[in-house]
Amino acid sequence: MTLKVYTSLLLLFLVNSVWTRTVRQVYDELGPDHWSHYTSECPQECFCPPSFPNALYCDNKGLKEIPPIPARIWYLYLQNNQIETLSEKPFVNATHLRWINLNKNKITNSGIESGVLSKLKRLLYLFLEDNELEEVPAPLPVGLEQLRLARNKISRIPEGVFSHLENLTMLDLHQNSLLDSALQSDTFQGLNNLMQLNIAKNSLKKMPLSIPANTLQLFLDNNSIEVIPENYFSAIPKVTFLRLNYNKLSDDGIPPNGFNVSSILDLQLSHNQLTKIPPINAHLEHLHLDHNKIKSVNGTQICPVSITLEEDYGYYGNIPRLRYLRLDGNEIQPPIPLDIMICFRLLQAVVI
């Protein structure tokens, strides 16, 4: 289980570098004649590296408009400019675009020409962080794999905007203005291959509805969530990394076995209002409970299995797999209770 999860995450986070390396290997073989041809096509406001002719660097140029994009471009860097609009004209010839970085501009929803994004049929990565969007732009390219919309003003998600994005693996909506009402039961419908969903730093009071079943990483930090519904995680049986730091969770808001979920390997509940450690699963490897209101720790009570000093389970067996436990910022006084060490024999670090 753990090996499969880490393999999937490795693919999710390193695919960019694999593509880039492959493209560089191909185009490093080009000669000076090819370089001069590519340079002549390069918009004067931008930089076209001869050794990487698929890339166009127009970042940090003070641009207010997007220049015409040559047909050969796969990777387009437009971050840190003053761009307010996305129109079809600059992209007429750019039919091979895979990657667009438009972070830190001044793009609004009204500045996006209707259909301009969906016409980029081969686009896989779209970065629109730190702009002035008030809703998720639509329609989007159906082949999109990553959509990053952090730090905008998004308070609305149009109905069906994700319904055809079956290839999307990452959706980042953190630090926007989303309320519970913006996340309906069908909001994420169609995201069948989503692996990471980030809705941290919004204004949620409840756990979001209908998270895609294949989600591995769910980030909900810095909201105002008070309650975990009964059996909430049965609908997302593959969730591995769960972050709920900086919320308003109390003991009463967590069902008896709310976090006793075998798929969860990393559970972060820092900066909440817990007075005791909630029941955990034996598969859990990292547990963050710092800055709560916990006064004491009883290893016998929190141990997910029954283990005594005389029992021998081999290196793994049924021994709980917890390796990292963080409890600082509570009211717990050292030393670490012996029964904690008896239960969690694989512990490598305890912060108290």
Side-chain angles (χ1 to χ4, degrees):
M1 164 68 182
T2 303
L3 179 60
K4 290 182 179 179
V5 168
Y6 286 140
T7 301
S8 299
L9 292 174
L10 185 63
L11 290 173
L12 175 66
F13 291 113
L14 298 183
V15 67
N16 299 354
S17 60
V18 173
W19 282 350
T20 302
R21 184 164 58 252
T22 302
V23 172
R24 285 185 183 276
Q25 288 171 347
V26 172
Y27 286 102
D28 278 347
E29 300 175 0
L30 295 174
D33 292 339
H34 290 88
W35 296 353
S36 60
H37 168 68
Y38 291 130
T39 302
S40 65
E41 281 190 325
C42 187
Q44 64 179 18
E45 308 97 324
C46 307
F47 171 60
C48 300
S51 61
F52 195 15
N54 278 117
L56 180 60
Y57 291 87
C58 307
D59 52 307
N60 296 288
K61 302 294 184 181
L63 299 179
K64 294 186 177 181
E65 296 181 350
I66 299 174
I69 310 303
R72 71 176 189 276
I73 298 303
W74 287 18
Y75 303 95
L76 177 58
Y77 298 89
L78 289 160
Q79 66 269 26
N80 292 301
N81 282 294
Q82 304 293 318
I83 297 168
E84 297 181 358
T85 60
L86 294 181
S87 62
E88 185 178 346
K89 186 176 179 180
F91 299 105
V92 169
N93 296 318
T95 56
H96 295 281
L97 277 175
R98 264 71 165 176
W99 170 303
I100 299 179
N101 189 333
L102 278 159
N103 292 345
K104 295 187 178 180
N105 279 283
K106 296 184 177 181
I107 298 168
T108 62
N109 289 95
S110 60
I112 301 177
E113 185 177 327
S114 178
V116 62
L117 293 173
S118 62
K119 291 178 181 177
L120 302 173
K121 303 294 186 183
R122 300 189 183 185
L123 194 66
L124 302 177
Y125 290 68
L126 178 58
F127 300 168
L128 279 164
E129 299 179 345
D130 296 284
N131 277 277
E132 298 179 13
L133 299 173
E134 295 183 350
E135 62 181 53
V136 175
L140 293 162
V142 295
L144 211 57
E145 293 184 3
Q146 287 194 17
L147 177 60
R148 304 193 185 210
L149 298 170
R151 295 179 298 277
N152 276 275
K153 303 174 183 177
I154 295 173
S155 61
R156 182 174 176 271
I157 301 177
E159 184 177 356
V161 66
F162 302 128
S163 60
H164 301 295
L165 303 186
E166 293 186 0
N167 295 326
L168 199 72
T169 59
M170 175 190 282
L171 175 59
D172 191 344
L173 287 162
H174 88 268
Q175 200 166 332
N176 277 285
S177 302
L178 292 170
L179 300 171
D180 296 318
S181 58
L183 305 180
Q184 300 299 314
S185 60
D186 59 351
T187 295
F188 301 112
Q189 184 176 349
L191 298 179
N192 298 327
N193 290 296
L194 194 71
M195 296 172 66
Q196 184 185 106
L197 177 59
N198 191 341
I199 326 178
K201 294 188 177 181
N202 278 278
S203 300
L204 304 180
K205 294 183 178 180
K206 300 178 181 179
M207 295 292 284
L209 301 171
S210 301
I211 300 297
N214 285 319
T215 302
L216 296 175
Q217 298 182 326
L218 179 58
F219 302 150
L220 292 164
D221 313 77
N222 293 89
N223 280 285
S224 298
I225 296 170
E226 299 179 355
V227 176
I228 306 294
E230 190 84 34
N231 299 319
Y232 181 85
F233 298 105
S234 62
I236 43 176
K238 297 181 181 180
V239 64
T240 305
F241 295 86
L242 177 62
R243 291 200 330 222
L244 280 159
N245 304 319
Y246 291 95
N247 276 282
K248 296 182 179 180
L249 289 170
S250 64
D251 301 328
D252 293 338
I254 300 175
N257 285 297
F259 294 120
N260 187 359
V261 180
S262 61
S263 65
I264 298 177
L265 303 182
D266 191 298
L267 176 60
Q268 299 190 21
L269 297 168
S270 305
H271 294 271
N272 278 279
Q273 299 171 15
L274 302 175
T275 64
K276 60 184 179 181
I277 297 177
I280 59 174
N281 192 272
H283 290 91
L284 188 67
E285 296 182 4
H286 295 84
L287 178 59
H288 298 247
L289 285 165
D290 55 286
H291 298 91
N292 276 274
K293 299 178 180 180
I294 301 170
K295 295 183 179 180
S296 63
V297 181
N298 186 316
T300 304
Q301 291 179 356
I302 68 171
C303 193
V305 298
S306 176
I307 294 180
T308 65
L309 281 171
E310 290 77 23
E311 291 173 324
D312 183 8
Y313 290 92
Y315 186 69
Y316 280 105
N318 293 325
I319 292 177
R321 299 181 185 178
L322 194 68
R323 289 169 168 79
Y324 179 87
L325 176 60
R326 184 171 178 184
L327 291 166
D328 56 303
N330 285 282
E331 300 176 30
I332 304 169
Q333 298 297 321
I336 300 167
L338 178 60
D339 52 6
I340 291 286
M341 308 311 296
I342 294 173
C343 174
F344 301 108
R345 301 184 191 180
L346 302 181
L347 266 175
Q348 297 174 358
V350 180
V351 184
I352 194 169

